[in-house]
């Protein structure tokens, strides 16, 4: 089974630190349909990267190495399967109709 992308980051901690970097920016990070900027769930890590448990481990390790961690939410980019699907299927009765 191939390593998830977040697992692969672990081997680079020392090199990144040696470059003088002190902050890691993650983005896009959340579950998406195809390419990362088509988010479908802001409460899940994209399965191509890992999962919430792995992400929590990596963030803890980065903090132990002295890195700050920033998340780029890309909240103005969503995929067609976000809540829009519910709107298409339910129209004015959708719980999101007033959004």
């Amino acid at each position: 089974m191939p390593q998830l992308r977040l697992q692969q980051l672990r081997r680079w901690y020392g090199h990144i630190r040696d470059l003088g970097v002190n902050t890691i920016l993650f983005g896009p990070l959340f579950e998406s349909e195809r390419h990362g900027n088509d988010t479908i769930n802001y409460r899940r890590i994209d399965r191509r990267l890992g999962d919430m448990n792995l992400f929590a481990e990596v963030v803890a390790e980065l903090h132990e190495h002295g890195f700050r961690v920033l998340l780029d939410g890309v909240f103005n980019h969503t995929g067609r399967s976000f809540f829009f699907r519910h709107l298409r299927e339910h129209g004015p009765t959708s719980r999101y109709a007033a959004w």
Side-chain angles (χ1 to χ4, degrees), residues 9 21-29 62 68-73:
L9 178 63
V21 174
N22 65 3
T23 305
I24 304 294
L25 171 66
F26 285 105
L29 181 67
L62 288 167
R68 295 181 182 121
V69 177
L70 295 174
L71 304 183
D72 181 3

Side-chain angles (χ1 to χ4, degrees), residues 8 12 23 30-31 36-37 40 43 48 53 58-60 66 74 76 81 95 98:
Q8 294 174 15
W12 292 96
T23 305
F30 300 107
E31 185 69 32
N37 283 321
I40 58 175
R43 295 179 181 192
R48 292 167 291 199
N53 291 331
V58 167
V59 169
V74 196
N76 61 334
S81 295
R95 64 181 173 262

Side-chain angles (χ1 to χ4, degrees), residues 22-77:
N22 65 3
T23 305
I24 304 294
L25 171 66
F26 285 105
L29 181 67
F30 300 107
E31 185 69 32
S32 69
E33 291 180 298
R34 290 173 293 193
H35 54 71
N37 283 321
D38 55 344
T39 301
I40 58 175
N41 190 332
Y42 286 105
R43 295 179 181 192
R44 283 194 206 141
I45 301 298
D46 195 301
R47 68 188 127 218
R48 292 167 291 199
L49 303 175
D51 59 25
M52 289 298 285
N53 291 331
L54 177 58
F55 182 66
E57 289 174 14
V58 167
V59 169
E61 292 166 5
L62 288 167
H63 286 158
E64 288 172 11
H65 283 86
F67 293 105
R68 295 181 182 121
V69 177
L70 295 174
L71 304 183
D72 181 3
V74 196
F75 295 111
N76 61 334
H77 295 183

